[in-house]
Amino acid sequence: MTTTAPGAGGQTAPVPAPGGAPAPGAAKDGPAAAATGSSPWQLARRELRRRPAVRVSLCVVLLFVLMAVTAPWLGALGGWSPEEFDKSAIDPYLGGQPLGSLGGISPEHWLGVEPVTGRDLFARVVHGAQVSLLIAFAATAIVVVTGTAAGIAAGYFGGRTDMVLSRLMDLTMSFPSLIFMIAMLSVAKDVNRIVLMTAVIGVFGWPGVARVVRGQTLSLKHREYVDAARVGGSSSWRILTRDILPGVSGPVIAYTTLLIPGMISTEAALSYLGVGVRPPTPSWGQMIAESVAFYETDPMYFVIPSTFLFLAVLAFTLLGDALRDILDPRGGRS
């Protein structure tokens, strides 16, 4: 038997009959029905397939990742290494300007060449993608692992642990991080710039993740299943890894995808300012900085790395926004 219950505006809504069977006329579609019995990953896949813009962004992200992974082979396919000079592609009587139109684009140089040096832009762009994404992914991994561990510990144990970790978050966030990064990278000379940039960017990024995870942990640690595990004699480590961590994984995944474009932009900004990756190692930010002197005579030198940087940041941002809406809907509300 099916009964009805008052709804908004005087309407009635079907109430399931005893035994859990759905009431006749009950809607079988909609977000609530889709979410029933679906894991966060199943829901994410379903929503990503439903949004065309997100599908395009995901394809662009995968393309950039594939380009970064296969950069040595792509460079060899183009026939040039990122440090190889081609003096025959530039005009020495015009200040080293590329020969031909659109910055020297030709069957030999698919995206043209750099002014003065004649280095192949395609090889430098794909190797620049490798450097930028390597730093972005590695720094994001440091930020997420450190922030998640600190946030769970602060939220679950509380007391003095929470006070110490929270004050450490406040102290780290109070630093003018960009100025401190520039100072540290300027002082360090004979070190691996990629490792140093990854470490420096990661040091200043973890408090944001830790605050999000701490808030989620505070809301989870008094749930019935956590109390039951605690009463049943489970260790704190088992509760944190089996009960708390899966509960905060959705917001962490959403936050992670939004961190990556920020890391790419930070690496490009530091390289643009001359304190990041040093020549001859290619980087998108470094290429943009060098192209400023030629934007009037060879605008393609500026357009090409800027376009790749713009597309990478845009694709990761759109994908991150979509995952945040799906996996952490309350976190996206104002």
Side-chain angles (χ1 to χ4, degrees), residues 9-304:
Q11 298 177 350
T12 58
V15 178
K28 296 183 180 179
D29 300 322
T36 304
S38 298
S39 69
W41 287 112
Q42 291 173 332
L43 182 60
R45 286 196 297 268
R46 185 182 300 116
E47 289 295 317
L48 290 177
R49 286 195 299 265
R50 190 174 60 86
R51 305 184 184 190
V54 177
R55 290 202 302 268
V56 173
S57 299
L58 182 59
C59 291
V60 174
V61 166
L62 293 176
L63 181 63
F64 275 111
V65 172
L66 181 63
M67 183 172 67
V69 172
T70 61
W73 295 278
L74 287 176
L77 183 65
W80 299 91
S81 70
E83 292 86 20
E84 187 177 358
F85 293 178
D86 182 12
K87 294 299 184 181
S88 65
I90 57 176
D91 189 343
Y93 301 105
L94 290 177
Q97 292 300 307
L99 293 172
S101 59
L102 298 177
I105 293 178
S106 66
E108 290 187 358
H109 299 283
W110 299 343
L111 296 179
V113 297
E114 283 186 346
V116 181
T117 64
R119 291 183 294 192
D120 185 71
L121 278 184
F122 175 77
R124 293 188 65 77
V125 162
V126 296
H127 281 81
Q130 187 179 57
V131 171
S132 296
L133 293 186
L134 174 62
I135 293 175
F137 286 158
T140 300
I142 294 173
V143 167
V144 170
V145 172
T146 306
T148 301
I152 288 180
Y156 181 78
F157 294 108
R160 181 172 296 179
T161 302
D162 186 19
M163 182 187 67
V164 171
L165 290 174
S166 295
R167 298 295 78 77
L168 184 58
M169 296 177 205
D170 295 337
L171 179 64
T172 305
M173 296 182 73
S174 67
F175 270 90
S177 57
L178 182 59
I179 297 176
F180 197 73
M181 289 180 194
I182 294 173
M184 288 185 63
L185 292 170
S186 299
V187 171
K189 299 295 183 183
D190 300 326
V191 294
N192 188 310
R193 306 296 295 184
I194 294 178
V195 173
L196 181 61
M197 288 185 68
T198 301
V200 170
I201 295 173
V203 163
F204 290 100
W206 68 269
V209 179
R211 284 181 175 274
V212 173
V213 173
R214 176 182 176 276
Q216 293 288 326
T217 304
L218 288 173
S219 67
L220 292 175
K221 73 174 185 177
H222 295 302
R223 297 284 178 89
E224 291 81 358
Y225 62 89
V226 177
D227 290 336
R230 192 181 297 113
V231 172
S234 297
S235 64
S236 297
W237 175 256
R238 183 179 179 86
I239 293 174
L240 290 175
T241 56
R242 297 293 183 87
D243 299 315
I244 302 296
L245 185 58
V248 303
S249 60
V252 168
I253 293 170
Y255 201 94
T256 299
T257 53
L258 289 172
L259 275 175
I260 294 175
M263 297 296 183
I264 295 174
S265 300
T266 300
E267 183 278 327
L270 292 173
S271 297
Y272 181 88
L273 294 173
V275 296
V277 177
R278 297 285 177 84
T281 304
S283 165
W284 289 341
Q286 175 199 115
M287 293 172 67
I288 294 172
E290 293 173 350
S291 68
V292 171
F294 302 95
Y295 75 93
E296 290 184 345
T297 56
D298 184 16
M300 292 301 295
Y301 184 25
F302 174 81
V303 168
I304 289 173

